[in-house]
PDB file of all heavy atoms in Angstrom:
ATOM      1  N   LEU A 537      24.407  27.946  13.846  1.00 98.00           N
ATOM      2  CA  LEU A 537      25.664  27.861  14.705  1.00 98.00           C
ATOM      3  C   LEU A 537      25.445  28.773  15.931  1.00 98.00           C
ATOM      4  O   LEU A 537      26.508  29.067  16.622  1.00 98.00           O
ATOM      5  CB  LEU A 537      26.818  28.468  13.906  1.00 98.00           C
ATOM      6  CG  LEU A 537      27.285  27.649  12.736  1.00 98.00           C
ATOM      7  CD1 LEU A 537      28.491  28.281  12.035  1.00 98.00           C
ATOM      8  CD2 LEU A 537      27.586  26.160  13.005  1.00 98.00           C
ATOM      9  N   ASP A 538      24.230  29.102  16.348  1.00 98.00           N
ATOM     10  CA  ASP A 538      23.867  29.672  17.643  1.00 98.00           C
ATOM     11  C   ASP A 538      24.383  31.081  17.749  1.00 98.00           C
ATOM     12  O   ASP A 538      24.620  31.602  18.836  1.00 98.00           O
ATOM     13  CB  ASP A 538      24.365  28.811  18.851  1.00 98.00           C
ATOM     14  CG  ASP A 538      23.836  27.429  18.813  1.00 98.00           C
ATOM     15  OD1 ASP A 538      22.805  27.133  18.166  1.00 98.00           O
ATOM     16  OD2 ASP A 538      24.517  26.569  19.401  1.00 98.00           O
ATOM     17  N   LYS A 539      24.533  31.887  16.610  1.00 98.00           N
ATOM     18  CA  LYS A 539      25.091  33.172  16.769  1.00 98.00           C
ATOM     19  C   LYS A 539      23.890  34.118  16.544  1.00 98.00           C
ATOM     20  O   LYS A 539      23.648  34.581  15.448  1.00 98.00           O
ATOM     21  CB  LYS A 539      26.100  33.561  15.678  1.00 98.00           C
ATOM     22  CG  LYS A 539      27.196  32.422  15.551  1.00 98.00           C
ATOM     23  CD  LYS A 539      28.090  32.230  16.825  1.00 98.00           C
ATOM     24  CE  LYS A 539      29.121  31.146  16.454  1.00 98.00           C
ATOM     25  NZ  LYS A 539      29.287  30.146  17.589  1.00 98.00           N
ATOM     26  N   CYS A 540      23.178  34.248  17.604  1.00 98.00           N
ATOM     27  CA  CYS A 540      21.837  35.117  17.508  1.00 98.00           C
ATOM     28  C   CYS A 540      22.154  36.526  17.166  1.00 98.00           C
ATOM     29  O   CYS A 540      21.124  37.252  16.725  1.00 98.00           O
ATOM     30  CB  CYS A 540      21.148  35.071  18.918  1.00 98.00           C
ATOM     31  SG  CYS A 540      20.937  33.364  19.543  1.00 98.00           S
ATOM     32  N   GLU A 541      23.300  37.106  17.266  1.00 98.00           N
ATOM     33  CA  GLU A 541      23.557  38.463  16.901  1.00 98.00           C
ATOM     34  C   GLU A 541      23.920  38.644  15.469  1.00 98.00           C
ATOM     35  O   GLU A 541      24.056  39.835  15.039  1.00 98.00           O
ATOM     36  CB  GLU A 541      24.727  38.983  17.836  1.00 98.00           C
ATOM     37  CG  GLU A 541      26.018  38.477  17.554  1.00 98.00           C
ATOM     38  CD  GLU A 541      26.502  37.203  18.248  1.00 98.00           C
ATOM     39  OE1 GLU A 541      25.610  36.280  18.315  1.00 98.00           O
ATOM     40  OE2 GLU A 541      27.658  37.095  18.760  1.00 98.00           O
ATOM     41  N   ALA A 542      24.104  37.568  14.744  1.00 98.00           N
ATOM     42  CA  ALA A 542      24.438  37.669  13.274  1.00 98.00           C
ATOM     43  C   ALA A 542      23.270  38.228  12.586  1.00 98.00           C
ATOM     44  O   ALA A 542      22.068  37.786  12.672  1.00 98.00           O
ATOM     45  CB  ALA A 542      24.818  36.379  12.747  1.00 98.00           C
ATOM     46  N   VAL A 543      23.468  39.316  11.874  1.00 97.00           N
ATOM     47  CA  VAL A 543      22.383  39.978  10.960  1.00 97.00           C
ATOM     48  C   VAL A 543      22.807  39.808   9.491  1.00 97.00           C
ATOM     49  O   VAL A 543      23.564  40.567   9.028  1.00 97.00           O
ATOM     50  CB  VAL A 543      22.199  41.466  11.389  1.00 97.00           C
ATOM     51  CG1 VAL A 543      21.075  42.034  10.407  1.00 97.00           C
ATOM     52  CG2 VAL A 543      21.764  41.544  12.825  1.00 97.00           C
ATOM     53  N   PRO A 544      22.205  38.897   8.806  1.00 96.00           N
ATOM     54  CA  PRO A 544      22.605  38.701   7.319  1.00 96.00           C
ATOM     55  C   PRO A 544      22.011  39.973   6.568  1.00 96.00           C
ATOM     56  O   PRO A 544      20.875  40.263   6.706  1.00 96.00           O
ATOM     57  CB  PRO A 544      21.787  37.470   6.934  1.00 96.00           C
ATOM     58  CG  PRO A 544      21.436  36.730   8.105  1.00 96.00           C
ATOM     59  CD  PRO A 544      21.292  37.796   9.222  1.00 96.00           C
ATOM     60  N   VAL A 545      22.883  40.619   5.810  1.00 95.00           N
ATOM     61  CA  VAL A 545      22.452  41.849   5.096  1.00 95.00           C
ATOM     62  C   VAL A 545      22.673  41.484   3.667  1.00 95.00           C
ATOM     63  O   VAL A 545      23.692  41.283   3.079  1.00 95.00           O
ATOM     64  CB  VAL A 545      23.414  43.069   5.428  1.00 95.00           C
ATOM     65  CG1 VAL A 545      22.987  44.258   4.685  1.00 95.00           C
ATOM     66  CG2 VAL A 545      23.318  43.376   6.950  1.00 95.00           C
ATOM     67  N   ASP A 546      21.506  41.563   2.931  1.00 92.00           N
ATOM     68  CA  ASP A 546      21.521  41.608   1.509  1.00 92.00           C
ATOM     69  C   ASP A 546      20.833  42.891   0.991  1.00 92.00           C
ATOM     70  O   ASP A 546      20.525  43.739   1.803  1.00 92.00           O
ATOM     71  CB  ASP A 546      20.812  40.357   0.932  1.00 92.00           C
ATOM     72  CG  ASP A 546      19.263  40.326   1.468  1.00 92.00           C
ATOM     73  OD1 ASP A 546      18.803  41.265   2.078  1.00 92.00           O
ATOM     74  OD2 ASP A 546      18.629  39.372   1.126  1.00 92.00           O
ATOM     75  N   THR A 547      20.696  43.022  -0.307  1.00 89.00           N
ATOM     76  CA  THR A 547      20.033  44.337  -0.740  1.00 89.00           C
ATOM     77  C   THR A 547      18.722  44.582  -0.196  1.00 89.00           C
ATOM     78  O   THR A 547      18.370  45.710   0.023  1.00 89.00           O
ATOM     79  CB  THR A 547      20.010  44.343  -2.326  1.00 89.00           C
ATOM     80  OG1 THR A 547      19.323  43.021  -2.674  1.00 89.00           O
ATOM     81  CG2 THR A 547      21.378  44.282  -2.932  1.00 89.00           C
ATOM     82  N   HIS A 548      17.957  43.455   0.077  1.00 88.00           N
ATOM     83  CA  HIS A 548      16.656  43.447   0.653  1.00 88.00           C
ATOM     84  C   HIS A 548      16.667  44.186   2.041  1.00 88.00           C
ATOM     85  O   HIS A 548      15.846  45.034   2.265  1.00 88.00           O
ATOM     86  CB  HIS A 548      16.146  42.106   0.682  1.00 88.00           C
ATOM     87  CG  HIS A 548      14.789  41.785   0.834  1.00 88.00           C
ATOM     88  ND1 HIS A 548      13.950  42.029  -0.231  1.00 88.00           N
ATOM     89  CD2 HIS A 548      13.970  41.438   1.835  1.00 88.00           C
ATOM     90  CE1 HIS A 548      12.824  41.669   0.128  1.00 88.00           C
ATOM     91  NE2 HIS A 548      12.781  41.372   1.390  1.00 88.00           N
ATOM     92  N   VAL A 549      17.616  43.688   2.871  1.00 94.00           N
ATOM     93  CA  VAL A 549      17.770  44.206   4.190  1.00 94.00           C
ATOM     94  C   VAL A 549      18.269  45.633   4.199  1.00 94.00           C
ATOM     95  O   VAL A 549      17.844  46.433   4.941  1.00 94.00           O
ATOM     96  CB  VAL A 549      18.641  43.278   5.088  1.00 94.00           C
ATOM     97  CG1 VAL A 549      18.910  43.932   6.450  1.00 94.00           C
ATOM     98  CG2 VAL A 549      17.933  41.911   5.143  1.00 94.00           C
ATOM     99  N   TRP A 550      19.146  45.920   3.262  1.00 93.00           N
ATOM    100  CA  TRP A 550      19.681  47.329   3.086  1.00 93.00           C
ATOM    101  C   TRP A 550      18.563  48.283   2.708  1.00 93.00           C
ATOM    102  O   TRP A 550      18.460  49.288   3.305  1.00 93.00           O
ATOM    103  CB  TRP A 550      20.695  47.228   1.958  1.00 93.00           C
ATOM    104  CG  TRP A 550      21.520  48.492   1.730  1.00 93.00           C
ATOM    105  CD1 TRP A 550      21.651  49.534   2.652  1.00 93.00           C
ATOM    106  CD2 TRP A 550      22.364  48.806   0.630  1.00 93.00           C
ATOM    107  NE1 TRP A 550      22.463  50.470   2.071  1.00 93.00           N
ATOM    108  CE2 TRP A 550      22.913  50.011   0.922  1.00 93.00           C
ATOM    109  CE3 TRP A 550      22.623  48.115  -0.535  1.00 93.00           C
ATOM    110  CZ2 TRP A 550      23.775  50.644  -0.055  1.00 93.00           C
ATOM    111  CZ3 TRP A 550      23.514  48.718  -1.474  1.00 93.00           C
ATOM    112  CH2 TRP A 550      24.098  49.905  -1.246  1.00 93.00           C
ATOM    113  N   GLN A 551      17.644  47.748   1.829  1.00 92.00           N
ATOM    114  CA  GLN A 551      16.437  48.493   1.473  1.00 92.00           C
ATOM    115  C   GLN A 551      15.569  48.799   2.730  1.00 92.00           C
ATOM    116  O   GLN A 551      15.083  49.900   2.934  1.00 92.00           O
ATOM    117  CB  GLN A 551      15.693  47.799   0.407  1.00 92.00           C
ATOM    118  CG  GLN A 551      14.609  48.621  -0.315  1.00 92.00           C
ATOM    119  CD  GLN A 551      15.238  49.705  -1.058  1.00 92.00           C
ATOM    120  OE1 GLN A 551      16.112  49.518  -2.004  1.00 92.00           O
ATOM    121  NE2 GLN A 551      14.874  50.946  -0.719  1.00 92.00           N
ATOM    122  N   ILE A 552      15.322  47.793   3.516  1.00 94.00           N
ATOM    123  CA  ILE A 552      14.531  47.898   4.832  1.00 94.00           C
ATOM    124  C   ILE A 552      15.169  49.027   5.706  1.00 94.00           C
ATOM    125  O   ILE A 552      14.464  49.912   6.178  1.00 94.00           O
ATOM    126  CB  ILE A 552      14.403  46.608   5.461  1.00 94.00           C
ATOM    127  CG1 ILE A 552      13.545  45.632   4.781  1.00 94.00           C
ATOM    128  CG2 ILE A 552      13.808  46.801   6.962  1.00 94.00           C
ATOM    129  CD1 ILE A 552      13.445  44.197   5.324  1.00 94.00           C
ATOM    130  N   ALA A 553      16.500  48.992   5.813  1.00 94.00           N
ATOM    131  CA  ALA A 553      17.206  49.909   6.652  1.00 94.00           C
ATOM    132  C   ALA A 553      17.044  51.367   6.117  1.00 94.00           C
ATOM    133  O   ALA A 553      16.786  52.258   6.919  1.00 94.00           O
ATOM    134  CB  ALA A 553      18.726  49.549   6.765  1.00 94.00           C
ATOM    135  N   LYS A 554      17.116  51.504   4.829  1.00 93.00           N
ATOM    136  CA  LYS A 554      17.035  52.846   4.260  1.00 93.00           C
ATOM    137  C   LYS A 554      15.582  53.364   4.237  1.00 93.00           C
ATOM    138  O   LYS A 554      15.282  54.430   4.658  1.00 93.00           O
ATOM    139  CB  LYS A 554      17.525  52.875   2.789  1.00 93.00           C
ATOM    140  CG  LYS A 554      19.021  52.759   2.755  1.00 93.00           C
ATOM    141  CD  LYS A 554      19.554  53.150   1.421  1.00 93.00           C
ATOM    142  CE  LYS A 554      19.331  52.094   0.327  1.00 93.00           C
ATOM    143  NZ  LYS A 554      20.150  52.392  -0.933  1.00 93.00           N
ATOM    144  N   ARG A 555      14.637  52.420   3.963  1.00 93.00           N
ATOM    145  CA  ARG A 555      13.214  52.843   3.746  1.00 93.00           C
ATOM    146  C   ARG A 555      12.544  53.033   5.107  1.00 93.00           C
ATOM    147  O   ARG A 555      11.732  53.960   5.309  1.00 93.00           O
ATOM    148  CB  ARG A 555      12.487  51.692   2.874  1.00 93.00           C
ATOM    149  CG  ARG A 555      11.131  51.952   2.542  1.00 93.00           C
ATOM    150  CD  ARG A 555      10.387  50.789   2.044  1.00 93.00           C
ATOM    151  NE  ARG A 555      10.299  49.758   3.002  1.00 93.00           N
ATOM    152  CZ  ARG A 555      10.311  48.495   2.834  1.00 93.00           C
ATOM    153  NH1 ARG A 555      10.425  48.041   1.588  1.00 93.00           N
ATOM    154  NH2 ARG A 555      10.135  47.618   3.784  1.00 93.00           N
ATOM    155  N   ASP A 556      12.794  52.036   6.019  1.00 95.00           N
ATOM    156  CA  ASP A 556      11.982  52.044   7.244  1.00 95.00           C
ATOM    157  C   ASP A 556      12.643  52.681   8.497  1.00 95.00           C
ATOM    158  O   ASP A 556      12.147  52.915   9.511  1.00 95.00           O
ATOM    159  CB  ASP A 556      11.521  50.652   7.616  1.00 95.00           C
ATOM    160  CG  ASP A 556      10.667  49.950   6.536  1.00 95.00           C
ATOM    161  OD1 ASP A 556       9.986  50.735   5.886  1.00 95.00           O
ATOM    162  OD2 ASP A 556      10.879  48.821   6.315  1.00 95.00           O
ATOM    163  N   TYR A 557      14.005  52.801   8.298  1.00 94.00           N
ATOM    164  CA  TYR A 557      14.832  53.354   9.402  1.00 94.00           C
ATOM    165  C   TYR A 557      15.593  54.578   9.056  1.00 94.00           C
ATOM    166  O   TYR A 557      16.460  54.997   9.842  1.00 94.00           O
ATOM    167  CB  TYR A 557      15.782  52.272  10.012  1.00 94.00           C
ATOM    168  CG  TYR A 557      15.024  51.145  10.685  1.00 94.00           C
ATOM    169  CD1 TYR A 557      14.538  49.998   9.890  1.00 94.00           C
ATOM    170  CD2 TYR A 557      14.684  51.230  12.034  1.00 94.00           C
ATOM    171  CE1 TYR A 557      13.756  49.055  10.586  1.00 94.00           C
ATOM    172  CE2 TYR A 557      13.917  50.247  12.589  1.00 94.00           C
ATOM    173  CZ  TYR A 557      13.536  49.112  11.891  1.00 94.00           C
ATOM    174  OH  TYR A 557      12.725  48.065  12.425  1.00 94.00           O
ATOM    175  N   LYS A 558      15.332  55.077   7.907  1.00 90.00           N
ATOM    176  CA  LYS A 558      16.024  56.292   7.351  1.00 90.00           C
ATOM    177  C   LYS A 558      17.469  56.155   7.494  1.00 90.00           C
ATOM    178  O   LYS A 558      18.155  57.107   7.966  1.00 90.00           O
ATOM    179  CB  LYS A 558      15.530  57.524   8.091  1.00 90.00           C
ATOM    180  CG  LYS A 558      13.938  57.676   8.013  1.00 90.00           C
ATOM    181  CD  LYS A 558      13.490  57.893   6.541  1.00 90.00           C
ATOM    182  CE  LYS A 558      11.913  57.878   6.390  1.00 90.00           C
ATOM    183  NZ  LYS A 558      11.428  56.615   5.886  1.00 90.00           N
ATOM    184  N   TYR A 559      18.058  54.928   7.335  1.00 90.00           N
ATOM    185  CA  TYR A 559      19.474  54.706   7.438  1.00 90.00           C
ATOM    186  C   TYR A 559      20.185  55.379   6.396  1.00 90.00           C
ATOM    187  O   TYR A 559      19.948  55.161   5.179  1.00 90.00           O
ATOM    188  CB  TYR A 559      19.692  53.178   7.495  1.00 90.00           C
ATOM    189  CG  TYR A 559      21.143  52.802   7.575  1.00 90.00           C
ATOM    190  CD1 TYR A 559      21.836  52.703   8.715  1.00 90.00           C
ATOM    191  CD2 TYR A 559      21.903  52.548   6.360  1.00 90.00           C
ATOM    192  CE1 TYR A 559      23.146  52.338   8.827  1.00 90.00           C
ATOM    193  CE2 TYR A 559      23.261  52.240   6.420  1.00 90.00           C
ATOM    194  CZ  TYR A 559      23.830  52.181   7.677  1.00 90.00           C
ATOM    195  OH  TYR A 559      25.184  51.860   7.772  1.00 90.00           O
TER     196      TYR A 559
END
Side-chain angles (χ1 to χ4, degrees):
L537 298 180
D538 304 337
K539 316 298 181 221
C540 308
E541 73 272 40
V543 177
V545 178
D546 57 5
T547 51
H548 200 72
V549 173
W550 189 13
Q551 194 63 58
I552 290 173
K554 289 197 285 193
R555 186 191 66 209
D556 302 327
Y557 291 89
K558 306 297 171 255
Y559 177 84

